Amino acid sequence: MLYVGTSGYSYKDWVGRYYPEGLPQSEWLTFYTRDFKTTEINYTYYRLPTAATLGAMAAKVPDDFLFTIKASKELTHERDPEVVPEAAARFVEALQPLIEQEKFGCILAQFPSSFHNTPENRDYLRRLRDPQIFGDVPVVVEFRNTEWAEEEVYDLLRETNLGFCAVDQPRFKTLMPPVAVVTSPIAYVRFHGRNYQNWWQHEEAYERYNYQYSREELEEWVPKMTEMASQAPLMFAFANNHYQGQSVQTARQIEALMAGHVPVAGEPAAG
């Protein structure tokens, strides 16, 4: 089953472009669920979530809706060995309302471009499976450095039951290429946009993701995603080009392109 959605849903610049003028922010998520069956929660990178907050979000979505949750910076970017166990415990505890209501997809652990393919960092990936960190909670790893695009890395992820996040982004030689690999029961793709001009040079973070995909660019992923879906019972595809709601259109395009190739969550049942 393919779940398609956007990376985040709570953006003020979506008002008037996606959310109706005057719609209270507290109703944005409910409105969003009319179109999509999943969303990727990204605020959790900046601050550890709480069970109360995620539980309140779960109460606003249908039973067949799934959340994926980005790991906090303490766990992916800072990686202080004295902080990680406590931060991970708090993070996993906060997920319990989603897990109990069967609305949890996985954790997305996005590592920075400075996270190089070294023995120390490979060991850190293995430690994600420690009971004191994520244990057996589903986790998908996103790399931002092309050094990780190796078969040995994919084998490591398979051995540790960590998912691999495929990415579409500018084709800079230092960034991960658009490889479509599945290393766990969860397949995952993120569409960041191809804004070459503002990827490295920008004043505001959103400028990096100011990009509108063409149909032809997204069609490149249809055979890749079809193959990925054949290897995993659950698959997510998220549009992260969120500036002014462009990701909504991208997610809708992906759903339309993939319909007929794999079952898409929210599609009417065949027959």
Side-chain angles (χ1 to χ4, degrees):
M1 180 67 73
L2 171 61
Y3 284 77
V4 181
T6 62
S7 297
Y9 67 89
S10 184
Y11 300 104
K12 292 181 179 179
D13 64 349
W14 286 19
V15 175
R17 296 179 173 86
Y18 177 60
Y19 297 122
E21 296 281 358
L23 182 70
Q25 188 170 349
S26 60
E27 297 180 20
W28 288 359
L29 180 56
T30 301
F31 183 93
Y32 174 94
T33 64
R34 303 189 317 176
D35 292 307
F36 304 108
K37 294 294 184 181
T38 188
T39 190
E40 187 182 78
I41 302 301
N42 291 320
Y43 86 85
T44 51
Y45 167 78
Y46 300 99
R47 62 183 186 278
L48 286 165
T50 65
T53 299
L54 295 184
M57 293 171 63
K60 295 182 178 181
V61 303
D63 291 341
D64 58 351
F65 192 94
L66 293 178
F67 293 92
T68 70
I69 313 294
K70 183 181 284 189
S72 65
K73 61 182 183 295
E74 292 92 340
L75 303 171
T76 56
H77 286 54
E78 298 169 0
R79 305 187 302 280
D80 184 332
E82 296 185 1
V83 174
V84 165
E86 179 183 355
R90 290 173 57 191
F91 196 93
V92 172
E93 180 181 5
L95 299 177
Q96 293 312 303
L98 301 182
I99 295 173
E100 292 167 2
Q101 296 181 48
E102 299 183 347
K103 296 177 180 178
F104 172 67
C106 64
I107 294 172
L108 173 67
Q110 177 197 304
F111 289 91
S113 56
S114 59
F115 187 71
H116 295 281
N117 185 358
T118 64
E120 178 184 11
N121 288 339
R122 291 194 295 273
D123 283 343
Y124 186 79
L125 292 176
R126 295 185 181 95
R127 287 199 297 273
L128 292 180
R129 281 292 170 224
D130 287 352
Q132 296 82 6
I133 304 182
F134 291 142
D136 59 359
V137 175
V139 179
V140 170
V141 175
E142 178 181 353
F143 300 110
R144 289 283 176 101
N145 190 306
T146 191
E147 294 174 8
W148 294 96
E150 296 184 352
E151 286 299 328
E152 292 81 359
V153 172
Y154 309 144
D155 288 340
L156 168 61
L157 296 180
R158 293 186 182 100
E159 292 166 7
T160 51
N161 197 29
L162 294 170
F164 173 81
C165 177
V167 291
D168 187 277
Q169 58 192 356
R171 308 286 172 83
F172 291 116
K173 64 179 181 179
T174 59
L175 295 180
M176 284 292 290
V179 293
V181 176
V182 176
T183 60
S184 82
I186 298 177
Y188 208 107
V189 188
R190 302 184 85 205
F191 292 83
H192 295 305
R194 302 180 185 181
N195 190 336
Y196 287 85
Q197 182 176 357
N198 296 114
W199 190 262
W200 300 119
Q201 303 292 329
H202 53 261
E203 295 182 5
E204 301 292 341
Y206 69 79
E207 296 178 52
R208 169 180 281 185
Y209 305 108
N210 180 10
Y211 187 82
Q212 186 60 65
Y213 280 97
S214 68
R215 178 186 177 89
E216 291 72 25
E217 288 170 332
L218 295 176
E219 283 178 336
E220 297 171 13
W221 279 90
V222 172
K224 293 181 180 181
M225 292 176 63
T226 302
E227 176 61 23
M228 293 174 73
S230 73
Q231 300 177 41
L234 178 60
M235 181 173 179
F236 293 100
F238 290 107
N240 193 29
N241 53 329
H242 56 76
Y243 180 65
Q244 294 188 348
Q246 293 172 106
S247 55
V248 172
Q249 180 178 342
T250 297
R252 287 171 171 165
Q253 286 179 290
I254 293 170
E255 285 187 326
L257 289 170
M258 293 303 297
H261 294 272
V262 299
V264 178
E267 277 188 328

